[in-house]
Amino acid sequence: MVEYNPKYNLDDRQKWAWNKFWELAAEKNWSAKETAKCVGVSDSTISGVKNGTYNADPSKQLDDLAAYFELKEASAAQAKYDGYVPTSISTQVYGIINNCHLLGGIAVACGDAGIGKTQAALKYARDHESNCIYIYVPPCMGTQNAITKAIGKKLGIRRRAMDELWEAITEKLTDGMIIILDEAQHLSYEAIEMLRSFPDVFSNTGKTVGICLIGNEVTVECTNGKSGREMEFKQIVSRRKSLEVFKTDQIQLRDIELLFPELEDKKPEIAFLHKVAVGVQGIRGIVDIMIKAKANDNITYAGLVAAAKSK
């Protein structure tokens, strides 16, 4: 490990951060300058503390360094619980996407936040990289133009005129592909109308393209129609192969065991997290509770309750 100049009286936290800095440099095979840029400190501070040429108290800079690595450790704890877990809801969402992929047309899987919809969609996209396009739809990308450009970009197409872009997309899409739109509640009617045109083009030639919309319950309104536009939305509804709405109260006790195998046979703890999950918190909420409890080194019933109260 690289030593710091002993004239700087570092506390234990700062020493820890100093060592973490050089561990990161070794892990990434970076220079001190490259590592300093990554963590957001001045490389002159690092070299100065190392060589004894830093002419001020480096405590502020080293405290910032410690904060960076503490954040990264917390993020690593969060990442442990990120990803797909085959819970009762996520497996159903995965199945809906798969059916849409097989049959083509439009499918909708929506419901409460934090119940595993996105993780199921991401898992499906990873499992079918060659013929699946996954697009996250933030509010600013809900328009027809924006979503068409996003699909084109995924396919390596860049055209200025919308008609040319649409034609290029239909040429690039192949039989048996699926496009997953996550947070689909942000899509405008015009965007959904454009999306349903892709399955139409392919079904006319005996081929399939699937469009799966993942989002909250507003997604149902987006595909059912609103006051004054029911006739327009009939075109979309008639092409919808399935629609499923999932709620937090569908989360099962077994799901808690799958999410947190470290709680095996700990019935009070599992029951507590299940009670929280079926409320407004969902799976995302109990993951936050578990991370806090683990940070406190206490995943007992009392530790989980304390972590929940600290939210």
Side-chain angles (χ1 to χ4, degrees):
M1 191 60 63
V2 177
E3 296 293 333
Y4 59 90
N5 192 286
K7 83 176 194 178
Y8 304 109
N9 187 25
L10 307 188
D11 62 28
D12 289 343
R13 180 169 177 262
Q14 292 164 352
K15 291 176 184 177
W16 171 79
W18 177 263
N19 290 334
K20 292 292 289 184
F21 178 90
W22 294 106
E23 287 174 9
L24 177 62
E27 177 189 341
K28 299 292 186 180
N29 196 25
W30 287 342
S31 67
K33 184 174 182 178
E34 290 172 318
T35 310
K37 183 178 180 180
C38 172
V39 302
V41 299
S42 168
D43 64 296
S44 62
T45 300
I46 297 297
S47 62
V49 173
K50 175 185 174 185
N51 300 320
T53 57
Y54 193 78
N55 294 323
D57 183 356
S59 294
K60 171 65 168 62
Q61 288 76 9
L62 290 173
D63 285 343
D64 288 345
L65 190 63
Y68 170 84
F69 285 112
E70 287 167 349
L71 177 64
K72 285 300 178 181
E73 289 202 344
S75 296
Q78 174 75 54
K80 177 182 177 181
Y81 296 112
D82 283 342
Y84 178 77
V85 176
T87 63
S88 55
I89 292 176
S90 65
T91 53
Q92 290 182 73
V93 174
Y94 191 100
I96 290 168
I97 299 170
N98 187 56
N99 285 338
C100 181
H101 198 174
L102 294 173
L103 300 175
I106 298 174
V108 180
C110 62
D112 293 338
I115 56 175
K117 305 185 302 295
T118 290
Q119 293 303 330
L122 290 170
K123 167 69 172 170
Y124 195 90
R126 290 193 298 270
D127 290 347
H128 301 81
E129 290 183 357
S130 63
N131 55 9
C132 176
I133 295 172
Y134 171 89
I135 296 175
Y136 171 75
V137 186
C140 61
M141 275 182 55
T143 65
Q144 177 184 342
N145 286 359
I147 208 66
T148 307
K149 289 178 182 177
I151 295 171
K153 186 176 181 180
K154 289 282 187 177
L155 293 169
I157 304 166
R158 289 176 176 80
R159 303 283 178 94
R160 290 187 177 180
M162 280 297 107
D163 57 339
E164 291 181 0
L165 180 56
W166 185 89
E167 288 183 3
I169 290 172
T170 57
E171 290 172 4
K172 199 72 177 283
L173 290 172
T174 57
D175 183 28
M177 290 191 73
I178 183 169
I179 302 173
I180 303 172
L181 289 304
D182 196 4
E183 300 294 343
Q185 68 271 13
H186 297 139
L187 293 170
S188 66
Y189 164 78
E190 289 74 17
I192 297 174
E193 181 72 356
M194 181 277 299
L195 288 167
R196 68 99 177 165
S197 68
F198 295 131
D200 283 358
V201 168
F202 277 77
S203 65
N204 291 337
T205 59
K207 301 175 182 179
T208 65
V209 163
I211 301 293
C212 189
L213 307 180
I214 309 289
N216 63 27
E217 286 194 73
V218 176
T219 311
V220 178
E221 298 176 13
C222 291
T223 57
N224 275 349
K226 300 176 181 178
S227 178
R229 305 193 74 167
E230 285 81 359
M231 293 303 295
E232 292 174 330
F233 276 89
K234 281 186 177 180
Q235 292 279 7
I236 295 170
V237 174
S238 66
R239 288 161 174 78
R240 193 175 61 202
K241 298 296 175 66
S242 65
L243 186 155
E244 295 290 339
V245 180
F246 300 98
K247 310 292 288 183
T248 57
D249 60 14
Q250 295 172 260
I251 297 171
Q252 302 176 9
L253 278 170
R254 175 59 181 157
D255 295 333
I256 312 303
E257 297 171 350
L258 288 169
L259 288 161
F260 311 117
E262 58 266 59
L263 295 180
E264 184 180 6
D265 296 328
K266 295 184 177 180
K267 292 183 178 180
E269 289 82 356
I270 291 171
F272 172 72
L273 290 177
H274 179 255
K275 182 178 180 179
V276 175
V278 298
V280 297
Q281 298 288 341
I283 288 172
R284 188 180 301 152
I286 61 173
V287 165
D288 289 342
I289 291 171
M290 191 65 172
I291 289 171
K292 289 183 178 180
K294 287 181 76 70
N296 295 331
D297 198 26
N298 187 356
I299 59 171
T300 64
Y301 178 86
L304 293 172
V305 172
K309 290 180 177 178
S310 70
K311 288 174 67 66

